[in-house]
Amino acid sequence: MDKLAVFGGQPAVPRDQRSVTWPIITEEDRKAVLNVIDSGELVSNSDTPTAVDDLEARFAEKVGVARCVGLSNGTTALQIALAALGVGPGDEVIVPALSFIASGLAPLHQMAVPVFADIDPVTFTMDPEDVERKVTSRTAALLPVHLHGMPADMDALQQIANRHSLAIVEDAAQAHGASYQGRQVGSLGNAAAFSLQVTKNLPTCGEGGLLTTNDEALADKIRMTRQFGEIIEAGKPRDYISYHLGWNSKLNPIQAAFAASQLSRFDDYEQRRQANVSAFLDRLRPLAGLQVPAERPGSTHAWHILRFRFDPAAMGLDGVRPTALRGALRRVLRAEGVPLSQYQLMTLPQQQVFQERTGFGRGYPWAALEGGSAPDAGHPVAEAIIEDSLTLQKRHLNPDSGPLLQRYADAFEKVWGNLDLLAKLARAES
Ligand SMILES: Cc1ncc(COP(=O)(O)O)c(C=O)c1O
């Protein structure tokens, strides 16, 4: 049996084969950016069409929705969606307990209170049963996250939303191209937010966001909200009248042109990624005690992040604590050349911002809740996942990463062939 690299053996992933880039930046991407600079159309509140209009039209078509609005980033897209739907002080928004911090901050930015629902142990998306338990007379919206690229359980959530007259804002920041029962994510709720931040499956050269919706009136309102509440119409000079509360949250045409150029290659990359990731996961699935990312029946996963859970008992390592096993696996697999990382160190509700509730000061927005907020009983599934899982990010997004992923699979198999040594390391860690 091969000696583990952590004990001085040859790493399963040779050092000269580890380098893989994301995003891939081509000559077309560079030209697209330069064309915008040369055009002089450098802001999206122009009265003539810009690269932002072009990206909006193309992304709306890709998602299969009536409208798309370019915004400065995904967090802003979530907040402005909530704003346009009328969510504000005194309201609660139900958010999954495991996500990137922005999913929990967006309601706060609207002076609404995020209420955290636990997640499903396999899909890592919001658990509809816990959502139902968390609905109160103050709940205004659900904010399901298609976490890591896995579509949330939208049918069950839509039924809850219908029963209680709630809006749904999809957080699709990690899920470009994922589909749910034949429909693209981003077309499943009242509105959806996508991030174009440079590490995403559809990246820009920096920061950016897109909001999608089938509601024309909502899209018009959001276009105004991103531009100080003003109406900007093609062919008409700007009149500087603010009709409602707005921000300056526009997407820059340079960022839009880069993302549109990436969008031209998106489907090709996505197809190759699907093949690479599924061949990788097929090799990991037989390993005892390793929970590989699953696909929801009838859905496609965008594989933005691959999260692996480890079960000490199923690995024959009774008595080893999950955190100790996670620490040992991280060390051993990184030594083999697999760059696993923990990503979030805690659940969303455990973050200081939600624990200390300083918010806007003087207890707001929690102080605006009539009757006070309900006590939080914890989120056992999300907490367990934080303790017993590691993630793989970015490398597998490159469509040429197939051979690298096979070397990663070699590394996992090698480590699983040395579970006795892994147990020793884990016990030493505890
Ligand atoms: C689930 C989720 N929601 C929202 C965001 C926020 O997007 P942005 O970074 O573009 O503001 C991110 C970004 O990583 C995310 O992963």
Side-chain angles (χ1 to χ4, degrees):
M1 195 163 305
D2 286 347
K3 189 174 178 184
L4 290 175
V6 77
F7 296 124
Q10 280 298 319
V13 189
R15 284 179 209 288
D16 61 355
Q17 292 176 30
R18 290 182 192 177
S19 159
V20 58
T21 52
W22 186 259
I24 296 169
I25 300 176
T26 64
E27 210 36 53
E28 282 73 37
D29 299 337
R30 290 192 181 87
K31 271 193 208 140
V33 166
L34 286 174
N35 284 345
V36 174
I37 295 173
D38 292 342
S39 76
E41 294 289 358
L42 295 171
V43 283
S44 57
N45 62 330
S46 163
D47 55 6
T48 55
T50 69
V52 174
D53 299 279
D54 173 52
L55 175 64
E56 288 172 342
R58 290 174 56 188
F59 198 70
E61 193 187 344
K62 160 97 190 123
V63 173
V65 286
R67 298 281 292 276
C68 170
V69 184
L71 294 162
S72 49
N73 56 60
T75 312
T76 301
L78 285 172
Q79 184 209 342
I80 290 186
L82 293 170
L85 287 161
V87 177
D91 289 336
E92 291 175 339
V93 177
I94 302 182
V95 175
L98 186 71
S99 185
F100 180 69
I101 186 71
S103 318
L105 290 182
L108 270 196
H109 292 161
Q110 267 313 104
M111 289 280 268
V113 168
V115 171
F116 298 99
D118 211 347
I119 60 167
D120 179 90
V122 175
T123 65
F124 309 143
T125 60
M126 201 145 89
D127 170 8
E129 282 182 21
D130 202 35
V131 171
E132 185 76 67
R133 283 191 284 272
K134 301 279 160 73
V135 173
T136 70
S137 57
R138 299 171 301 216
T139 310
L142 306 182
L143 197 152
V145 181
H146 305 309
L147 195 69
H148 304 341
M150 161 72 93
D153 190 351
M154 293 304 291
D155 277 351
L157 295 173
Q158 190 63 62
Q159 282 171 21
I160 297 172
N162 293 346
R163 260 199 308 282
H164 300 280
S165 304
L166 310 174
I168 294 187
V169 174
E170 297 170 73
D171 182 340
Q174 301 187 356
H176 318 71
S179 69
Y180 179 85
Q181 296 178 7
R183 290 159 67 200
Q184 290 276 303
V185 303
S187 66
L188 306 167
N190 298 77
F194 290 86
S195 170
L196 298 175
Q197 190 263 350
V198 66
T199 62
K200 296 295 189 289
N201 289 27
L202 177 63
T204 186
C205 48
E207 308 270 352
L210 295 171
L211 186 145
T212 52
T213 180
N214 274 314
D215 183 334
E216 297 275 358
L218 196 74
D220 288 342
K221 204 165 166 186
I222 287 164
R223 278 179 71 86
M224 292 170 69
T225 306
R226 75 174 178 186
Q227 171 65 25
F228 309 105
E230 298 173 28
I231 296 174
I232 302 289
E233 272 180 305
K236 286 200 185 153
R238 182 178 171 188
D239 61 10
Y240 293 93
I241 298 173
S242 287
Y243 295 90
H244 66 231
L245 173 62
W247 287 263
N248 182 4
S249 306
K250 299 184 289 295
L251 179 63
N252 183 294
I254 293 175
Q255 252 87 46
F258 185 96
S261 180
Q262 290 275 336
L263 185 57
S264 310
R265 307 195 297 279
F266 183 90
D267 288 346
D268 171 43
Y269 286 4
E270 167 65 12
Q271 259 176 25
R272 287 153 67 195
R273 185 180 304 130
Q274 288 290 344
N276 295 339
V277 170
S278 82
F280 174 48
L281 299 182
D282 283 349
R283 278 189 63 193
L284 302 193
R285 221 164 269 122
L287 302 179
L290 174 64
Q291 181 183 309
V292 304
E295 271 192 294
R296 188 188 292 288
S299 297
T300 56
H301 198 305
W303 308 122
H304 176 61
I305 287 173
L306 305 180
R307 184 181 287 275
F308 302 97
R309 295 189 74 184
F310 312 106
D311 177 351
M315 287 167 78
L317 310 180
D318 289 301
V320 172
R321 282 190 301 112
T323 47
L325 177 61
R326 183 197 65 207
L329 273 167
R330 182 175 183 277
R331 209 171 128 207
V332 168
L333 280 162
R334 284 183 86 96
E336 297 296 340
V338 187
L340 294 180
S341 63
Q342 207 185 326
Y343 194 20
Q344 286 98 358
L345 304 185
M346 62 195 84
T347 65
L348 276 188
Q350 288 169 340
Q351 292 271 5
Q352 200 168 323
V353 59
F354 305 117
Q355 289 285 317
E356 296 191 351
R357 298 187 166 186
T358 24
F360 288 88
R362 284 178 281 152
Y364 286 96
W366 292 272
L369 283 188
E370 231 169 86
S373 45
D376 195 336
H379 306 88
V381 178
E383 285 156 25
I385 289 167
I386 292 284
E387 298 212 325
D388 70 14
S389 69
L390 289 169
T391 64
L392 184 66
Q393 306 199 26
K394 265 176 61 169
R395 275 73 175 184
H396 63 284
L397 297 182
N398 185 307
D400 292 322
S401 70
L404 177 67
L405 292 181
Q406 288 301 309
R407 299 292 75 72
Y408 288 174
D410 294 343
F412 274 84
E413 286 171 356
K414 184 177 167 190
V415 170
W416 257 251
N418 284 285
L419 287 185
D420 49 337
L421 292 174
L422 185 72
K424 271 192 199 151
L425 273 178
R427 292 204 171 95
E429 295 237 355
S430 24

